[in-house]
Amino acid sequence: MKYPLEEIFRTEGVPEFTFVKPPNYNEIFLDIRSSGKPTIIEGQSGTGKTTVAKKVIEQAFPQGDFGYLSARSTGDIEKVLEISQGTLLGRWIIDDFHRLDSDVQARIADLVKLAAEDFDPSAHPKLVLIGINKVGSELINLVHDIAKRCGIHRIQPADKEIAAEIIRRGEDKLNIYLDNKDAIFAETGGDYWLTQLTCQAICLGDGVMETQVDRKRVPYRQAEVRGRIIGRLDNTYREPVKEFSRGKRFRPTNDPYFRLLRLIAAQASSIADLNELANANPEVRGSINNIKDRRISVVLESKPICDRYFYYNPETKTFAIEDPAFFYYLQHIDWEDVRRDCGFRDDPHHYDWDFAISFAGENRVLAELIADLLEVLDCTVFYDRFYEANYLGKAWSDQFREIFGHRARYVVCLLDAHHEKKIWPTFEREIFSQRVEDGAVIPVFLDETRFAGVPRDIVGVDFRGRDPHDTDLVTDEIVLKLEEKLKDS
């Protein structure tokens, strides 16, 4: 019997002929089959979480009375909400659980607890929740005694033996022999989906489109196969890479998103804790810290193409690339070519912040409003409260000396009598006044106070007598002017 290549090494849907059970398949099977036991399946992208769940359901519930819902599908969200509100019973997979709003997750977590405690399974829906790493632990944080009441399983990448079995089953159906299986495993790292894709690409490169009449030896030429795969993926993934790398508002010297993406592509996992990533990589720590609290979320919210391919939880600082094909693409593209394609240009002086705001405590309302509005425009801003957690245990004096002295491209100083008298603003002023001649200091005059080292004829923003609570006024008179200045730098 002849089989088409795409049905043997499948890159879409559930493999029929080359599915191999992971070591903990039977444990997952029992928990899913158990009518009163909620089940959580977690793991990084490409590990076959959804495939395993569907295979179990196919075997345990052949009548098909088990629904599939995904948090990525707008058409499924209504049913997910009904489940969370307790108005929809039945058996359900909820895939991409981590993408649901936190309040919906919390309601489902409470539902999971009730279902596990109740002796009448028919009173609650049977749920299988699928998501990226830490879904189980995050649910436990929502409902602390949930762990002993539900099955939590992690799908690990295939080991060499399982990967070899996937390949062997494909070889049997296609009547071929793939050379250098160790090199295939080294390339795919045990990723189930990537193993399927690589084997398919190897066959395509040697003209194997279906089952061969005579057994055929098929060589594996790594560079050729990798190049073919990346070329195939480029049309799909180049645009989201560029859109994310360029941020919400593109500036040729503003590349923290590009730096983050390149760093994640260099690691083994497609999931990263940005706090850990920043601490482990001092050379990009400033870039990551500047965008991890709020700005990444702003980019994803403003660019649907980015939200489709990237996941970010600003509370846990978990960043993920959920599509295994996309992660493979990122691991092997030419990043310097991407940088040129994005339009970034080299800056002889790398700044961690576009702006640092110097102010007295009496003007904190205005300072915070400026900082918030600049971040909406995707500018990096040093405003002390944004970074208190990053500098715990460190002396502010040392940090301010660096930030106002050379790590911020521009210093925005809110000048008035309070700034003149207060200790910290005076300390900051002594530092940044040395940068006045370089045009790096932008004063916002709030009264008539004069300052040594800051000439009165320096071009700044006259905000005397204006309302610091007026968002429109602050936007027009200060923030948009600062952004325009940044564009010209």
Side-chain angles (χ1 to χ4, degrees):
M1 182 174 179
K2 285 195 172 185
Y3 296 95
L5 171 64
E6 66 274 17
E7 290 300 319
I8 303 304
F9 291 120
R10 296 198 65 170
T11 58
E12 297 179 8
V14 178
E16 179 180 354
F17 302 105
T18 53
F19 172 76
V20 179
K21 295 178 181 178
N24 57 341
Y25 179 87
N26 289 339
E27 288 85 350
I28 297 172
F29 182 94
L30 290 180
D31 281 347
I32 291 180
R33 190 174 63 178
S34 176
S35 57
K37 193 170 187 179
T39 306
I40 298 169
I41 304 177
E42 61 182 21
Q44 73 177 68
S45 301
T47 54
K49 302 182 297 293
T50 303
T51 295
V52 168
K54 287 184 174 180
K55 280 291 184 180
V56 168
I57 287 166
E58 180 182 298
Q59 182 180 350
F61 301 92
Q63 302 304 317
D65 53 348
F66 216 113
Y68 174 85
L69 304 170
S70 172
R72 285 177 174 269
S73 171
T74 54
D76 290 346
I77 292 298
E78 185 176 344
K79 285 187 176 179
V80 173
L81 292 177
E82 289 180 35
I83 291 170
S84 73
Q85 293 159 359
T87 59
L88 181 62
L89 301 179
R91 301 186 181 98
W92 301 96
I93 291 176
I94 301 180
D95 207 346
D96 301 303
F97 180 81
H98 55 280
R99 281 189 168 265
L100 295 172
D101 290 339
S102 57
D103 59 332
V104 178
Q105 290 185 14
R107 289 201 300 270
I108 290 177
D110 286 330
L111 197 62
V112 164
K113 179 184 176 183
L114 291 173
E117 290 176 338
D118 201 323
F119 290 106
D120 180 10
S122 63
H124 306 281
K126 164 69 180 184
L127 297 179
V128 177
L129 309 179
I130 302 176
I132 62 171
N133 289 3
K134 300 182 180 180
V135 165
S137 59
E138 288 175 5
L139 267 186
I140 291 169
N141 288 335
L142 291 171
V143 180
H144 295 290
D145 56 350
I146 202 175
K148 61 182 180 289
R149 294 183 169 89
C150 64
I152 300 177
H153 305 275
R154 180 181 297 273
I155 305 293
Q156 300 292 346
D159 58 22
K160 187 176 288 189
E161 184 178 336
I162 291 176
E165 178 63 16
I166 293 171
I167 296 172
R168 186 194 65 76
R169 293 186 181 190
E171 289 174 322
D172 288 348
K173 292 297 181 184
L174 294 171
N175 197 26
I176 60 173
Y177 179 84
L178 295 179
D179 279 341
N180 207 351
K181 295 180 180 58
D182 286 347
I184 295 174
F185 180 76
E187 177 74 1
T188 64
D191 183 290
Y192 291 89
W193 176 88
L194 188 52
T195 299
Q196 300 277 348
L197 176 65
T198 300
C199 290
Q200 187 186 103
I202 293 170
C203 292
L204 283 172
D206 210 55
V208 176
M209 304 290 290
E210 59 185 15
T211 303
Q212 302 295 287
V213 175
D214 299 314
R215 191 165 178 82
K216 181 177 182 178
R217 180 178 291 273
V218 181
Y220 172 42
R221 304 178 183 90
Q222 183 192 59
E224 180 183 312
V225 170
R226 183 187 291 175
R228 185 181 299 114
I229 293 174
I230 296 304
R232 174 179 163 185
L233 299 176
D234 194 66
N235 288 336
T236 301
Y237 297 129
R238 175 63 67 124
E239 198 60 26
V241 170
K242 286 175 59 178
E243 285 300 309
F244 182 82
S245 296
R246 290 163 65 98
K248 183 178 179 182
R249 295 203 176 194
F250 172 69
R251 292 187 303 279
T253 58
N254 181 42
D255 65 350
Y257 304 98
F258 173 85
R259 289 166 171 259
L260 171 62
L261 213 52
R262 186 171 187 171
L263 182 60
I264 290 176
Q267 64 176 20
S269 173
S270 62
I271 303 170
D273 181 317
L274 295 197
N275 286 329
E276 294 177 359
L277 200 65
N279 292 333
N281 296 274
E283 71 280 4
V284 294
R285 182 180 299 153
S287 295
I288 294 175
N289 285 338
N290 285 338
I291 62 177
K292 67 182 173 65
D293 290 321
R294 297 191 291 178
R295 293 175 62 211
I296 293 177
S297 297
V298 169
V299 170
L300 299 188
E301 290 167 3
S302 64
K303 293 187 173 184
I305 192 172
C306 294
D307 186 55
R308 190 179 312 135
Y309 290 103
F310 302 100
Y311 165 77
Y312 186 59
N313 185 326
E315 295 178 3
T316 63
K317 304 299 184 288
T318 300
F319 185 91
I321 297 154
E322 300 172 277
D323 181 345
F326 189 22
F327 187 57
Y328 180 79
Y329 174 80
L330 293 175
Q331 289 179 304
H332 298 295
I333 55 175
D334 182 339
W335 281 97
E336 286 306 313
D337 179 61
V338 172
R339 194 172 191 277
R340 289 190 295 270
D341 199 16
C342 287
F344 292 120
R345 65 169 185 259
D346 292 331
D347 190 339
H349 188 124
H350 173 72
Y351 297 97
D352 290 327
W353 291 277
D354 296 322
F355 302 101
I357 304 179
S358 174
F359 63 97
E362 287 78 3
N363 296 312
R364 181 170 289 280
V365 169
L366 177 58
E368 187 159 320
L369 182 55
I370 292 172
D372 285 338
L373 293 171
L374 283 171
E375 285 215 327
V376 169
L377 297 177
D378 203 25
C379 301
T380 54
V381 186
F382 178 80
Y383 167 65
D384 57 1
R385 283 188 177 171
F386 288 174
Y387 295 94
E388 287 175 342
N390 295 329
Y391 292 107
L392 288 174
K394 299 179 181 179
W396 271 128
S397 57
D398 294 338
Q399 305 308 316
F400 284 0
R401 190 173 285 108
E402 292 187 7
I403 294 165
F404 291 101
H406 60 86
R407 290 174 61 190
R409 183 181 295 274
Y410 295 109
V411 176
V412 178
C413 46
L414 310 185
L415 300 180
D416 66 355
H418 300 298
H419 201 286
E420 182 189 34
K421 296 174 183 177
K422 292 295 185 72
I423 295 175
W424 278 113
T426 299
F427 175 70
E428 295 164 8
R429 199 167 59 250
E430 290 172 354
I431 297 168
F432 68 66
S433 61
Q434 302 172 28
R435 303 181 63 190
V436 169
E437 291 185 4
D438 298 329
V441 177
I442 304 173
V444 177
F445 300 109
L446 303 180
D447 65 15
E448 300 291 342
T449 306
R450 296 180 178 274
F451 295 86
V454 183
R456 190 63 186 179
D457 62 349
I458 187 174
V459 178
V461 177
D462 186 352
F463 209 70
R464 290 174 293 184
R466 316 301 287 274
D467 183 1
H469 298 84
D470 189 328
T471 300
D472 291 337
L473 186 64
V474 173
T475 299
D476 293 339
E477 296 297 320
I478 300 176
V479 174
L480 293 181
K481 292 178 180 178
L482 294 176
E483 187 204 21
E484 194 63 32
K485 174 67 174 176
L486 195 60
K487 288 180 181 178
D488 296 335
S489 60

